[in-house]
Amino acid sequence: EPQKEYAEKVLGEKCRLSFAHQKMAILFPHKYDLNLSPFLKRNSGLTGNVFKYHPPFGFKKHNLTFSELIGLLPKVSLSEELERKPCKRCVILGSGGILRGLGLGPYLNTFDVVIRLNSAPIHGFTQDVGNKTTIRMSYPEGTPKSLHDYDPHMLFVAVMYKGVDFSWLKAMVKKEEVPFFDSLWFWKAVPRKLPIEPEQFRILNPEIIRETAIDLLQLPEPRWKLWRWDQNIPTLGVSAVVLATHLCDEVSLAGFGYNLGEPDTPLHYYENVRMEAMKAQTMHNVETERKFLAGLVEKGVVTDLSGGIHCKFCKSKS
């Protein structure tokens, strides 16, 4: 089982301080910002860029809403226990069908920071995906509805894609109802309350998404009117990888990689939708992202535990 052996090898090596951070800065000079705050806090670290673009690249026209919201969030960093750790290893868990049957769960639980995306479930899949969650990163429509998918100590990192996302987050933090008019703007049903406390919420710095899209993936500058067709919104997965390089010393991925050449493979580990479904979406530039992540793995910036992006433990075909 090469994946397990590889995960064990990665976890067995000495954690290298600021490793991912520094490698990114070397790989993307003048593009990767070493000083970017992963999460937003009151009055500090807000560059002009934050209010230059509309969500998700910035908070243009949302200054007041943002100020009000950030005032409700008592904490802005990782937990004190994690902050005290001199060297942190992160793993970002994609939802790829490649995770099925690998049994990586116990290894994933060993990482200091486990980042899960949207409503990717834990219950019933712990053998493959573990059950530890340090960060659950999502937007309203992607947020888990099942209580099984919340860790009592996790952080919920909110990603703001549109104006009503602020309204939803404010309601979740204050444990109130989302105003009726705002609730009409979600493209699918959103949770009406979350089983976590105000100090567990964080707001992703939209500069992370802007940096991912424009500086690293080199997608076109956001065009507000056409964003749905421009393929310039990075997936949450690739944004989470960039976030992790700002947050952790060493970064690993698991469950990433869509092989569009194999339309019959399951797209996600938790359902039987086939890979061909990915071809139908137009919002994300999947191929550009795959090349970007493959570059990071090949150059050793991040490690790919399941081998779906670039496999370092696969036997080469002779």
Side-chain angles (χ1 to χ4, degrees), residues 59 95 98 308 315:
F59 293 162
S95 304
I98 193 169
K315 291 186 169 64

Side-chain angles (χ1 to χ4, degrees), residues 76-126:
V76 293
S77 58
L78 288 171
S79 68
E80 281 155 27
E81 183 193 350
L82 274 172
E83 286 294 343
R84 281 198 299 270
K85 242 184 166 358
C87 196
K88 292 182 277 292
R89 292 182 201 272
C90 264
V91 63
I92 305 106
L93 227 56
S95 304
I98 193 169
L99 283 170
R100 262 193 211 180
L102 293 186
L104 285 177
Y107 300 92
L108 300 172
N109 283 345
T110 312
F111 282 81
D112 301 308
V113 175
V114 179
I115 301 176
R116 296 182 193 272
L117 308 172
N118 293 330
S119 57
I122 294 170
H123 190 61
F125 303 98
T126 51

Side-chain angles (χ1 to χ4, degrees), residues 167-185:
S167 169
W168 176 83
L169 185 60
K170 185 177 149 193
M172 295 305 102
V173 175
K174 294 178 83 172
K175 300 193 182 295
E176 295 175 350
E177 286 287 319
V178 177
F180 174 72
F181 182 72
D182 289 340
S183 69
L184 302 175
W185 291 92

Side-chain angles (χ1 to χ4, degrees), residues 64-213:
L64 286 173
T65 331
F66 167 71
S67 303
E68 188 186 353
L69 189 51
I70 203 77
L72 300 171
L73 306 183
K75 297 195 174 167
V76 293
S77 58
L78 288 171
S79 68
E80 281 155 27
E81 183 193 350
L82 274 172
E83 286 294 343
R84 281 198 299 270
K85 242 184 166 358
C87 196
K88 292 182 277 292
R89 292 182 201 272
C90 264
V91 63
I92 305 106
L93 227 56
S95 304
I98 193 169
L99 283 170
R100 262 193 211 180
L102 293 186
L104 285 177
Y107 300 92
L108 300 172
N109 283 345
T110 312
F111 282 81
D112 301 308
V113 175
V114 179
I115 301 176
R116 296 182 193 272
L117 308 172
N118 293 330
S119 57
I122 294 170
H123 190 61
F125 303 98
T126 51
Q127 194 52 39
D128 290 330
V129 302
N131 59 358
K132 173 179 176 175
T133 306
T134 318
I135 288 173
R136 176 75 73 167
M137 188 171 164
S138 191
Y139 50 91
E141 293 91 340
T143 301
K145 295 187 179 70
S146 164
L147 295 179
H148 292 300
D149 296 323
Y150 289 87
D151 185 301
H153 306 293
M154 71 173 224
L155 299 182
F156 181 85
V157 174
V159 186
M160 305 306 205
Y161 279 95
K162 53 197 178 305
V164 287
D165 294 359
F166 290 90
S167 169
W168 176 83
L169 185 60
K170 185 177 149 193
M172 295 305 102
V173 175
K174 294 178 83 172
K175 300 193 182 295
E176 295 175 350
E177 286 287 319
V178 177
F180 174 72
F181 182 72
D182 289 340
S183 69
L184 302 175
W185 291 92
F186 297 112
W187 49 267
K188 70 180 221 190
V190 299
R192 294 174 65 168
K193 59 174 180 236
L194 302 186
I196 54 175
E197 296 308 311
E199 56 269 18
Q200 290 170 269
F201 287 93
R202 302 289 183 275
I203 299 175
L204 181 75
N205 185 348
E207 283 279 277
I208 298 271
I209 294 199
R210 190 202 57 76
E211 177 179 78
T212 304

